[in-house]
Amino acid sequence: MILRSVCATGAAACAVCAWIVTPWSATAARELAGAFTRPLRLPFAWQALDAAQQSGDEAEYLARARQITDLLPSWTDGHMVFAYRLALGGEGAAPDGDGADAERRLQLALAWLDGARADAGRREVDLLLTMAFLPEVAALQQPALAERLRPHGGAAAIADRYLAEAERLRDGPELRERRTFLAPKLVAALLAADQPTEALAVLDTAIARSADVRDRDLAAEWRQRLEEVRRRLRGDPTVDLDAVRADPRFEPLLPHLR
């Protein structure tokens, strides 16, 4: 602990000296300040986020989520995790009722993800594929929402709009297949954020969407791997995960399958 303090003090002193010798731009100075204060601010930001979700205040929740993504700019999965957490509800979420509340949360979550596209760069397509997952995941978990979306063509029609936009950015029929292959990464991000219910909902949707894979043998194999992961996450210690561990596409999930 003493060594860390000495190192931090030394680093700060060196930075100040460097700034005196060669003045930094205002942007660089802000980045330096952020690097020093970020570890102190994050725990409070997480507490505020949890409190906002407990209260059921969606606007406050998104404001607090934005604070965290600003503090962790390299955590590109953060937008996805927070959107799923918002859309699928939490302890502070209102009862399903007629699905109006669930529909509002879904719209807010999709708008949050859509706003992240501008800074997504090469990951914009993956962000769109994640958005294509969300309506079907939410509808599967909340039956009243599924009924409410039916006049608009159902959750699948909403998902298709995001898939079409992804195809516009990167042409190719494999994009619809990529949605199901994106599942392990998204599930891992949700589990890392302590969202097991949402992670299982994504798995359920990915299993159903494995039918999008044109190679029928590959589709059957992928579905089997996803089902093995789902069984383990639901607490079955007898499931054989050798094939899952041997598949590099499941690497993000391995720390959660021990």
Side-chain angles (χ1 to χ4, degrees):
M1 183 67 70
I2 294 175
L3 179 60
R4 289 180 184 174
S5 299
V6 171
C7 291
T9 303
C14 290
V16 171
C17 291
W19 185 83
I20 293 172
V21 175
T22 306
W24 294 359
S25 67
T27 300
R30 285 195 298 270
E31 290 176 354
L32 176 66
F36 277 112
T37 61
R38 189 175 299 121
L40 300 175
R41 295 160 62 194
L42 267 174
F44 298 103
W46 278 109
Q47 291 172 11
L49 179 76
D50 290 336
Q53 187 172 36
Q54 294 285 338
S55 70
D57 186 334
E58 289 93 353
E60 179 69 11
Y61 174 84
L62 287 174
R64 297 302 183 180
R66 188 169 290 107
Q67 283 184 335
I68 293 176
T69 54
D70 287 345
L71 288 169
L72 296 171
S74 62
W75 186 33
T76 51
D77 292 338
H79 285 92
M80 302 179 189
V81 171
F82 295 141
Y84 274 69
R85 193 173 176 183
L86 173 63
L88 302 183
E91 294 181 19
D96 199 23
D98 63 356
D101 184 67
E103 184 178 19
R104 186 180 69 256
R105 293 199 309 270
L106 174 62
Q107 291 173 345
L108 283 171
L110 289 172
W112 159 266
L113 290 173
D114 194 51
R117 289 175 54 194
D119 299 316
R122 60 184 177 82
R123 296 202 58 199
E124 184 178 6
V125 168
D126 281 350
L127 197 58
L128 283 164
L129 294 178
T130 301
M131 295 168 75
F133 243 130
L134 184 52
E136 294 187 291
V137 173
L140 180 65
Q141 195 174 43
Q142 302 166 93
L145 173 62
E147 288 300 318
R148 195 173 183 89
L149 296 178
R150 198 176 300 280
H152 308 290
I158 299 174
D160 280 344
R161 290 201 288 271
Y162 295 112
L163 286 170
E165 178 64 10
E167 289 171 340
R168 185 186 67 80
L169 294 176
R170 188 178 301 169
D171 191 24
E174 73 280 357
L175 275 174
R176 291 179 181 264
E177 299 182 1
R178 274 185 58 193
R179 180 168 49 153
T180 186
F181 291 118
L182 185 66
K185 182 178 180 180
L186 180 54
V187 170
L190 289 166
L191 291 173
D194 195 24
Q195 302 292 308
T197 301
E198 290 83 350
L200 285 169
V202 170
L203 269 178
D204 289 341
T205 305
I207 288 169
R209 279 298 167 192
S210 63
D212 291 340
V213 179
R214 290 163 296 169
D215 184 321
R216 304 321 301 160
D217 290 339
L218 178 59
E221 178 186 1
W222 185 246
R223 179 185 179 92
Q224 184 175 349
R225 297 290 87 78
L226 292 173
E227 288 175 341
E228 289 164 356
V229 170
R230 181 174 63 179
R231 286 172 54 200
R232 174 57 66 90
L233 290 178
R234 286 181 171 172
D236 183 354
T238 65
V239 60
D240 184 355
L241 292 178
D242 286 348
V244 170
R245 294 191 178 99
D247 190 329
R249 293 169 298 189
F250 285 95
E251 185 175 354
L253 264 175
L254 297 185
H256 304 284
L257 298 176
R258 294 172 181 172

